[in-house]
Amino acid sequence: MGRPAHEEKMPDIQNKGEIFNMSQSYYRNRELSWLDFDKRVLEEAQDLNNPLCERMTFASIFKSNLDEFFMVRFGMLHDSMLFSKNPRENKTNMTASEQIDAVLDKTRELTAECDKTFADIMTDAEKQGIKLVNFKSLTEEQAMAVEDYFNKEIKPLLSPQIVGKRHPFPFLKNKEIYVLVTLKTKNNNEKIGIVPCGSNVFKRLIPINGIDGVFMLAEELILHYAAKVFDKYKVKEKTLMRIIRNADIDTEDAYNDEENYRDMMERIIKQRKKLCPIKLELSRKIDDSTVKAMSANLDLTADRVFYSSIPLDLSFVFDLQNYLSDKKELFYSPRVPQKTPFADNKESMIAQIKKNDILLSYPYESMKPFFRLLSEAANDDAVVSIKMTLYRVAKYSKIVETLIEAAENGKEVVVLVELRARFDEENNIEWSKRLEEAGCRIIYGLEHLKVHSKLCLITRKENNSIEYITQIGTGNYNEKTSKQYTDYSLMTASADIGMEAANVLNELAMGQVVERTKHLLVAPKCLQNKILAMIDEEIAKAKENKPAYIGAKINSLTDKKIIDRLVEASQAGVKTELIVRGICCLIPGVQGYTDNITVISIVGRYLEHSRIYIFGAEPDCKVYISSADYMTRNTLHRVEVGVPVYDERLKIQVLEMFNIMLDDNVKARRQMPDSTYVKLHSDNAPLNSQEYFYNKAYKNAPQSKN
């Protein structure tokens, strides 16, 4: 791209004591790569340059990410091993059972690392006056106060159970914490007792009377007083426990033609809550016989049992942070999305977009111009229809409320609501009902294909002519996450793009997908093949000794066809720079295969979510933003939309941002040929790309006039 060579110093792999074989495969297993990303999140919790409370947040995110991994990906591996004859995955050739073994080993390493990390964080928190305690730390007076609190506020709300012949093993909720005890009867027999600790009635974080900033977790209090709960027995041993359940459900297999689709999704959500356990977590070592009994009841093998010395759920850290809110130095400096310099608040959004395309960059720039566009459309007499795809929206969504307003104003409003947006299904179901009640026409996506595109089309009829205003984004119709995720939103009056967007939405309304496009990239028929063709163009240029370049910023790279074609490009001499936040199944720098490919991952304050595709050396390059990652699920099994950035001014903006991210030497990590990720040493001034973009947004924001 005509950029100066990077000046980072490559780490000496041999000094790390790692074996490095240049003939290794250039593939990385998808599941292990997911865990690599989780490790990078955990490293942010370890980074002392991050404020203390933000380190707490990263530790909590690590734990919740790991939960989701087991619920989704490990659940899939579990099902594959049981029901699909233990298939091999198509890159590293590992069977499902081999992947499970590798994942379990890696998870034990990460769990131990997280335990140490969180313990270090809480040691630093003590210096700020915040402490989690157990009973050994309490004075006699404090212990009496805590016992009184337990007797009055917690014990009456508990629902303990004995497991026995007349008391079948209870259903344990996914991710909920329980006390597990081994009890001895008067006849010296042993029984298992279980107490749920999750309650919306009593607080999880309990202040200790007389000591400001000192707390005990409710589950530790219940665990300590287990003998009071089971007062007819002798408590032999006790621990806290938590299970993770499989959340991998095939909605297509569950559907029958006689059932309303929305009703089916509501049934599926209930069913998912009861899927099989796949992981058991314990807070302390207990007798093997009890662990075996629990594992048998949960139908788990011994390798699915994990021990952790820290709280099993770290979500309480956000409550802890409330007690430190007056110490601003313990948090990131506040940042507020800024006004874009390319949209005038005093002028109609439709009129402005008709003059020039507008690109918003979240979270650095505000989502308000898009809200204004929708609101104008809802009240514009010339607007005939608003058509939109919704994948994830906020619980209290201004966008959906505006669509309802448009319908009530007599506009034709067609909304494709994807009910299969994992873990957002219930929210989407409720909004679909609201939209339908307001008179919007609702579509629920396509059979076997999730609709993941971020597409909004406003059709106007003025002076007997039809015109389109099209918005296409990389993500975020969610007001809340637009302040936490990086994304792009392009608004254009291009007739060519508008007509193709109209075709995409009309085909979806008929349960079909577009077969061909000229401008847009539209999965599943017109995205992967077009990307491969553009890679081939760069290969051809390189073979003719012409400038050739491929760049991409994506969340994940798993599509084997694209990976293999990128390897061909590297072998042909095409310089390829990839910014891949999460899963990356391609290993760069492998001699003879991926020598010309570099991969970095940026993990920082904001979740990197925007997707950029670049083909060709500057300035004669093609630039797209897209909702699709380079994953087979996106390129072939979802409806995704990518849009070319034709406006030269905006094209330059996207390229500049891409180049700044490549130069990030604070939050970026380089993937090495042994598949590890390292922060590279640099003689250049520190550059945190996310902070750079926010500083620039503040600098460029129009100043309000009094």
Side-chain angles (χ1 to χ4, degrees):
M1 296 183 70
R3 306 176 63 252
H6 289 283
E7 298 179 11
E8 292 92 340
K9 297 175 182 177
M10 300 291 284
D12 185 347
I13 294 174
Q14 297 299 328
N15 288 345
K16 294 173 65 179
E18 296 175 356
I19 299 172
F20 179 58
N21 180 2
M22 289 301 292
S23 65
Q24 66 178 307
S25 167
Y26 52 78
Y27 293 124
R28 176 65 168 162
N29 175 263
R30 170 181 173 149
E31 318 312 335
L32 295 177
S33 185
W34 181 320
L35 294 177
D36 291 341
F37 168 65
D38 283 351
K39 178 176 172 60
R40 297 196 290 280
V41 174
L42 186 59
E43 287 172 354
E44 290 300 304
Q46 298 164 346
D47 188 346
L48 298 181
N49 291 314
N50 289 327
L52 175 63
C53 287
E54 308 302 343
R55 290 167 57 207
M56 289 182 186
T57 297
F58 279 114
S60 180
I61 292 172
F62 166 81
K63 291 276 278 187
S64 61
N65 280 357
L66 197 59
D67 288 347
E68 182 178 342
F69 172 81
F70 270 84
M71 291 163 63
V72 178
R73 296 304 304 174
F74 194 89
M76 182 276 298
L77 290 174
H78 175 86
D79 291 344
S80 294
M81 186 178 66
L82 292 180
F83 306 121
S84 303
K85 298 182 180 179
N86 203 19
R88 294 185 181 275
E89 61 100 7
N90 68 349
K91 300 178 192 71
T92 57
N93 206 34
M94 296 172 71
T95 65
S97 57
E98 287 170 343
Q99 291 178 79
I100 284 174
D101 290 343
V103 162
L104 292 173
D105 288 345
K106 185 68 174 177
T107 301
R108 290 188 200 287
E109 291 177 19
L110 290 174
T111 298
E113 194 171 342
C114 182
D115 285 0
K116 181 181 183 307
T117 299
F118 189 73
D120 291 343
I121 289 172
M122 292 313 299
T123 297
D124 291 342
E126 284 188 41
K127 299 171 186 175
Q128 301 296 332
I130 293 293
K131 187 176 183 180
L132 284 180
V133 297
N134 54 33
F135 276 80
K136 294 178 182 178
S137 310
L138 301 181
T139 64
E140 185 176 347
E141 182 180 353
Q142 290 162 353
M144 290 175 61
V146 166
E147 183 175 10
D148 185 59
Y149 181 89
F150 173 79
N151 290 333
K152 292 178 179 178
E153 303 293 335
I154 294 182
K155 186 180 177 184
L157 301 172
L158 298 178
S159 300
Q161 181 171 339
I162 298 289
V163 178
K165 292 180 180 179
R166 296 181 182 275
H167 303 88
F169 191 82
F171 175 79
L172 304 182
K173 294 181 181 179
N174 185 41
K175 300 195 291 185
E176 188 160 311
I177 296 173
Y178 296 83
V179 166
L180 170 67
V181 293
T182 306
L183 304 169
K184 281 201 169 186
T185 67
K186 293 178 180 177
N187 299 326
N188 219 29
N189 295 323
E190 288 191 0
K191 290 182 177 290
I192 289 176
I194 296 174
V195 187
C197 298
S199 172
N200 294 324
V201 182
F202 53 78
K203 296 185 295 184
R204 187 173 176 210
L205 201 61
I206 300 170
I208 301 299
N209 289 345
I211 319 179
D212 190 38
V214 178
F215 306 92
M216 182 177 291
L217 292 174
E219 62 262 30
E220 289 289 346
L221 189 57
I222 298 167
L223 182 70
H224 182 79
Y225 286 116
K228 280 178 168 284
V229 178
F230 299 100
D231 55 358
K232 300 293 192 296
Y233 299 87
K234 180 180 179 182
V235 175
K236 178 186 175 185
E237 57 185 358
K238 56 190 178 181
T239 184
L240 295 171
M241 72 171 176
R242 181 174 177 260
I243 65 164
I244 302 297
R245 290 186 177 273
N246 189 350
D248 185 48
I249 283 187
D250 189 332
T251 57
E252 301 301 337
D253 288 348
Y255 182 58
N256 67 74
D257 292 336
E258 297 178 0
E259 187 177 18
N260 176 280
Y261 187 75
R262 189 164 60 198
D263 291 344
M264 181 275 290
M265 286 303 302
E266 289 181 317
R267 173 173 60 81
I268 287 292
I269 293 166
K270 293 177 183 177
Q271 181 183 340
R272 186 170 64 195
K273 295 175 181 177
K274 300 178 181 179
L275 289 182
C276 68
I278 52 175
K279 184 185 182 190
L280 171 63
E281 300 174 340
L282 301 174
S283 67
R284 59 185 73 181
K285 295 281 186 180
I286 55 173
D287 191 80
D288 285 346
S289 61
T290 303
V291 176
K292 287 179 181 178
M294 284 299 300
S295 298
N297 279 302
L298 295 168
D299 196 22
L300 288 173
T301 51
D303 60 350
R304 308 288 179 89
V305 180
F306 287 77
Y307 295 90
S308 179
S309 61
I310 64 174
L312 301 180
D313 176 348
L314 297 183
S315 59
F316 68 89
V317 300
F318 300 104
D319 292 325
L320 273 184
Q321 290 171 5
N322 290 336
Y323 290 90
L324 294 168
S325 59
D326 60 328
K327 298 187 176 184
K328 304 302 181 186
E329 70 277 10
L330 302 184
F331 298 85
Y332 288 132
S333 300
R335 292 289 202 179
V336 178
Q338 295 296 294
K339 297 176 183 176
T340 175
F342 303 113
D344 188 339
N345 287 345
K346 296 178 181 178
E347 187 180 351
S348 156
M349 282 301 301
I350 292 174
Q352 292 182 78
I353 294 167
K354 288 170 71 173
K355 293 177 187 175
N356 293 295
D357 292 355
I358 293 176
L359 181 74
L360 301 178
S361 176
Y362 309 141
Y364 316 112
E365 293 175 327
S366 171
M367 207 176 186
K368 288 180 180 178
F370 178 59
F371 294 150
R372 285 182 55 216
L373 172 63
L374 273 185
S375 182
E376 276 183 37
N379 294 281
D380 183 351
D381 291 339
V383 168
V384 176
S385 67
I386 303 173
K387 299 179 181 180
M388 195 169 185
T389 60
L390 293 180
Y391 190 74
R392 298 187 195 275
V393 293
K395 189 173 182 180
Y396 305 103
S397 175
K398 294 179 185 177
I399 289 173
V400 178
E401 293 287 2
T402 305
L403 293 174
I404 289 171
E405 179 187 1
E408 291 172 345
N409 288 344
K411 310 297 182 189
E412 180 191 25
V413 179
V414 181
V415 186
L416 191 149
V417 182
E418 181 51 78
L419 299 186
R420 293 164 295 185
R422 200 190 304 268
F423 307 126
D424 271 348
E425 298 97 338
E426 290 177 272
N427 188 48
N428 286 6
I429 285 170
E430 287 307 308
W431 276 123
S432 73
K433 291 177 180 177
R434 289 276 309 279
L435 286 162
E436 200 168 49
E437 288 167 1
C440 302
R441 181 150 60 94
I442 303 300
I443 306 168
Y444 293 124
L446 306 180
E447 188 175 0
H448 304 302
L449 291 173
K450 283 187 181 181
V451 179
H452 186 251
S453 57
K454 311 300 185 289
L455 177 60
C456 176
L457 180 70
I458 297 165
T459 304
R460 303 177 77 246
K461 185 175 182 181
E462 196 166 36
N463 299 325
N464 293 320
S465 65
I466 301 297
E467 61 184 33
Y468 299 108
I469 301 292
T470 311
Q471 182 275 338
I472 300 176
T474 63
N476 265 318
Y477 286 140
N478 185 320
E479 298 95 301
K480 181 178 179 181
T481 57
S482 71
K483 298 175 183 177
Q484 302 163 344
Y485 295 4
T486 73
D487 271 306
Y488 292 115
S489 173
L490 177 70
M491 295 174 281
T492 180
S494 163
D496 291 333
I497 289 174
M499 284 189 285
E500 288 200 355
N503 190 33
V504 170
L505 291 162
N506 288 339
E507 291 292 330
L508 290 175
M510 294 185 288
Q512 301 166 172
V513 297
V514 294
E515 300 282 343
R516 61 183 60 86
T517 61
K518 182 178 179 181
H519 301 276
L520 299 179
L521 306 177
V522 185
K525 300 285 188 179
C526 309
L527 191 141
Q528 186 200 62
N529 56 340
K530 288 178 176 284
I531 289 170
L532 294 174
M534 286 187 281
I535 295 174
D536 286 342
E537 289 176 5
E538 297 309 304
I539 292 173
K541 291 177 189 175
K543 288 180 177 178
E544 295 175 5
N545 293 319
K546 295 179 180 178
Y549 179 83
I550 297 169
K553 179 183 183 294
I554 47 181
N555 298 327
S556 298
L557 172 59
T558 69
D559 186 310
K560 188 173 185 296
K561 280 192 174 181
I562 293 179
I563 289 173
D564 289 346
R565 201 64 59 87
L566 289 173
V567 173
E568 285 183 41
S570 174
Q571 292 173 319
V574 180
K575 181 179 179 181
T576 301
E577 295 178 306
L578 306 177
I579 304 171
V580 187
R581 183 200 76 215
I583 302 165
C584 185
C585 293
L586 179 150
I587 301 175
V590 177
Q591 191 171 23
Y593 296 98
T594 57
D595 314 63
N596 290 305
I597 300 175
T598 58
V599 177
I600 67 167
S601 170
I602 296 174
V603 181
R605 175 175 182 173
Y606 306 105
L607 182 76
E608 290 292 339
H609 193 255
S610 54
R611 288 95 164 181
I612 304 169
Y613 310 158
I614 304 167
F615 299 97
E618 291 185 36
D620 301 320
C621 55
K622 300 173 184 176
V623 176
Y624 294 82
I625 63 168
S626 175
S627 62
D629 289 311
Y630 286 176
M631 304 178 76
T632 308
R633 76 173 189 188
N634 297 91
T635 58
L636 295 180
H637 303 302
R638 288 184 173 183
V639 176
E640 306 274 8
V641 176
V643 61
V645 182
Y646 286 146
D647 185 305
E648 282 299 320
R649 176 177 49 93
L650 302 183
K651 182 177 170 181
I652 291 169
Q653 179 186 342
V654 173
L655 289 170
E656 285 179 347
M657 293 185 76
F658 185 81
N659 291 337
I660 289 294
M661 287 183 273
L662 287 175
D663 287 330
D664 189 313
N665 55 21
V666 175
K667 293 303 180 183
R669 294 163 177 80
R670 175 78 61 84
Q671 187 182 10
M672 305 307 294
D674 62 349
S675 81
T676 60
Y677 285 79
V678 298
K679 286 189 174 182
L680 299 182
H681 303 293
S682 174
D683 294 329
N684 298 332
L687 174 61
N688 179 331
S689 58
Q690 294 182 349
E691 289 299 318
Y692 177 92
F693 296 139
Y694 238 130
N695 289 336
K696 188 171 182 179
Y698 271 89
K699 181 180 178 181
N700 292 343
Q703 300 301 311
S704 300
K705 295 180 180 179
N706 295 328

